[in-house]
Amino acid sequence: MSLQKRGKYTACAVEGAEEINFPSHRMDYGKTMSNITINNYLRNLRGFFNWLVDMEYIEKNPMRRIKMLPHQRTGKSYLTDSEVRALFAVLDKDEFPEYRDYIVLMLMLDSGTRLGETLSVETEQLDLAVRTLTLPADKTKGRKERTIFFSQRTVKELRRWFRFRAGAGCDSHYAFPVQRRNAGSQKL
């Protein structure tokens, strides 16, 4: 493909734009483009041309026959059990933000929730009696409501967290607020 041969930022749709944007000043100018980057371009173009067909500006999508380039995905590295224990060990559960982070990490590891999902949890979404968390569709990646289960140990820690939170004067409807309302330090 010619984009791969030419390299990054060497193609421009508007005549003279390189005199305004100076792509040659970029550190990665002319460097090789990965198949993933090109596939992202193709996906965007395909979406645009699908919209043109839907709006009846054109009859056929010229991108329909263009194939995605093959690419290899690299595996993600995971924390070992000892690394997770070390992470938990450095958090001071006597301090509000660190205790909150401890509980957030614990819930994420126990339930498999994503960070954004976990931080958006409101207290009424947690049912500690049946050990469930109900995530509404508007807060999940797939836009589908999910009910997630967690362990008895997490329930115990969540109950302890909610007592700590109340003692710290926190009245947020979020289960894991970023800041407390009062400025004083609260010890457990």
Side-chain angles (χ1 to χ4, degrees):
M1 185 174 249
S2 97
L3 272 179
Q4 282 179 314
K5 290 178 187 167
R6 287 197 323 232
K8 290 184 177 184
Y9 310 108
T10 56
C12 187
V14 178
E15 193 77 31
E18 60 276 351
E19 285 127 32
I20 298 169
N21 297 329
F22 302 105
S24 59
H25 291 119
R26 294 184 59 101
M27 295 188 70
D28 54 351
Y29 177 77
K31 293 211 172 157
T32 307
M33 295 177 83
S34 72
N35 286 359
I36 294 171
T37 301
I38 293 173
N39 284 342
N40 285 335
Y41 292 166
L42 294 173
R43 224 180 331 279
N44 291 336
L45 287 169
R46 188 171 285 127
F48 174 67
F49 282 106
N50 281 335
W51 177 80
L52 289 174
V53 170
D54 289 347
M55 299 305 293
E56 298 179 354
Y57 289 114
I58 61 175
E59 288 182 27
K60 290 195 288 189
N61 184 341
M63 296 294 296
R64 74 183 186 288
R65 289 192 184 147
I66 304 212
K67 304 260 189 268
M68 299 295 239
L69 299 176
H71 67 276
Q72 287 240 306
R73 292 201 175 262
T74 56
K76 302 234 185 275
S77 61
Y78 297 98
L79 295 175
T80 64
D81 290 347
S82 60
E83 289 171 328
V84 171
R85 281 191 289 278
L87 176 62
F88 280 124
V90 298
L91 294 171
D92 182 358
K93 292 195 295 184
D94 290 338
E95 298 296 328
F96 187 90
E98 291 188 41
Y99 190 28
R100 178 204 56 229
D101 294 349
Y102 174 86
I103 298 298
V104 165
L105 285 169
M106 182 177 226
L107 182 61
M108 288 173 61
L109 288 170
D110 193 21
S111 65
T113 55
R114 295 173 178 88
L115 179 60
E117 292 170 340
T118 307
L119 294 179
S120 71
V121 169
E122 298 177 23
T123 51
E124 71 268 2
Q125 293 172 254
L126 286 161
D127 187 341
L128 301 183
V130 291
R131 300 187 338 231
T132 60
L133 163 61
T134 304
L135 293 172
D138 64 328
K139 296 200 177 159
T140 64
K141 183 178 177 181
R143 299 288 181 221
K144 291 182 183 171
E145 184 176 293
R146 288 188 323 188
T147 300
I148 297 153
F149 299 90
F150 45 86
S151 69
Q152 187 61 44
R153 181 173 180 210
T154 299
V155 169
K156 181 180 169 188
E157 289 293 337
L158 281 167
R159 284 193 173 120
R160 189 170 181 233
W161 162 247
F162 287 128
R163 284 193 303 273
F164 179 85
R165 233 178 67 129
C170 180
D171 61 353
S172 173
H173 66 283
Y174 289 104
F176 312 109
V178 175
Q179 293 180 329
R180 294 178 292 143
R181 298 255 191 260
N182 61 352
S185 179
Q186 176 70 28
K187 296 283 184 187
L188 191 57

